[in-house]
Amino acid sequence: MIVDDHGIVRDGLREVLQNAGGFEVVGQAGDGATAVKAARDLKPDVVVMDILMPVKNGIDACREITDALPDTRVLILTVVTEEGAVIESVAAGAAGVLLKYTGRDEFLGAVRDVAGGEYRIPGDVIRRVFSGVRAATRPADPPGLEKLTAREREILTLFAKGLSYAQIGEVRGSRPLTIRNAIYGIQSKLGTKTKQEMVVWAVRSGLLDDGSRE
């Protein structure tokens, strides 16, 4: 489902998705409130959503959709670059954040990744957003870190940097399925409810720092 308050943008995204093949655009909405209602009715696999919209903004709509439909993934596609908006999008349950000026292939790749259960927020964005919080609040020995093996710490670090299961598998010499299962195991050990929460935990714990703990 495509959600944007500009009809020409919705039409353009629909055309890109349909021409690429493998996608079905099941609905559109021009504001966040309509998007929430349509998502409840249509139960799409992925919602591509803008932030700045009338009636209800995309972040609030994202929160309502992900709360009501845990299997629906939200990809925020926006011109907004403020760090606060990225933080709020992640906290609202977005599985990815992408800027509107991104290229066609990157957009399609992000939709596929999000649909496949992956997480598409670039690691450099996460590190920049949380650098101040990490420096101010990270404990000397973050709770839960001792539960992870060295292998799990490495996999979590790569995942938090934005690498896909396949890319991590190449680094580790493992199959993507093995990496996916490892990520689920890490999430279970840490007790995090979502992969977004797990990535934020990794950042705050300093795993993305240069020379992070062994």
Side-chain angles (χ1 to χ4, degrees):
M1 188 172 78
I2 300 170
V3 184
D4 195 289
D5 59 330
H6 293 97
I8 192 169
V9 173
R10 297 197 304 271
D11 291 344
L13 293 176
R14 182 188 61 203
E15 183 176 354
V16 167
L17 289 164
Q18 290 179 338
N19 288 345
F23 299 102
E24 179 186 0
V25 178
V26 297
Q28 298 185 38
D31 64 78
T34 304
V36 173
K37 183 180 184 304
R40 289 176 181 271
D41 293 338
L42 299 169
K43 296 179 175 58
D45 296 312
V46 177
V47 177
V48 177
M49 180 139 56
D50 192 12
I51 289 180
L52 301 177
M53 294 186 295
V55 186
K56 187 187 298 289
N57 66 55
I59 293 173
D60 289 342
C62 173
R63 184 178 296 106
E64 292 187 32
I65 290 171
T66 54
D67 284 347
L69 304 167
D71 293 333
T72 293
R73 311 271 288 171
V74 176
L75 173 64
I76 296 292
L77 184 66
T78 182
V79 296
V80 177
T81 59
E82 284 82 0
E83 294 178 351
V86 177
I87 293 175
E88 290 186 47
S89 297
V90 174
V97 177
L98 206 61
L99 296 178
K100 280 187 175 179
Y101 57 71
T102 191
R104 172 185 177 277
D105 290 343
E106 186 176 356
F107 167 67
L108 292 172
V111 175
R112 291 189 180 99
D113 285 349
V114 166
E118 298 192 26
Y119 183 68
R120 283 298 299 261
I121 296 180
D124 62 330
V125 173
I126 296 175
R127 289 193 297 274
R128 187 175 71 250
V129 168
F130 287 99
S131 59
V133 175
R134 183 177 65 235
T137 65
R138 189 183 70 203
D141 189 10
L145 192 60
E146 74 283 351
K147 298 179 182 178
L148 304 182
T149 65
R151 170 181 175 272
E152 288 171 331
R153 292 185 194 184
E154 180 186 0
I155 290 173
L156 177 54
T157 300
L158 294 172
F159 184 73
K161 288 181 176 179
L163 275 68
S164 67
Y165 295 151
Q167 290 169 327
I168 298 172
E170 289 181 9
V171 173
R172 291 284 312 174
S174 303
R175 294 183 304 161
L177 179 60
T178 300
I179 300 301
R180 188 195 69 177
N181 291 339
I183 290 294
Y184 281 116
I186 293 167
Q187 186 176 339
S188 178
K189 279 188 177 183
L190 296 178
T192 53
K193 296 179 181 179
T194 65
K195 291 185 177 64
Q196 294 96 320
E197 184 180 341
M198 183 176 66
V199 169
V200 171
W201 182 94
V203 174
R204 287 186 168 179
S205 297
L207 290 182
L208 275 67
D209 290 343
D210 293 332
S212 60
R213 297 176 181 82
E214 295 298 333

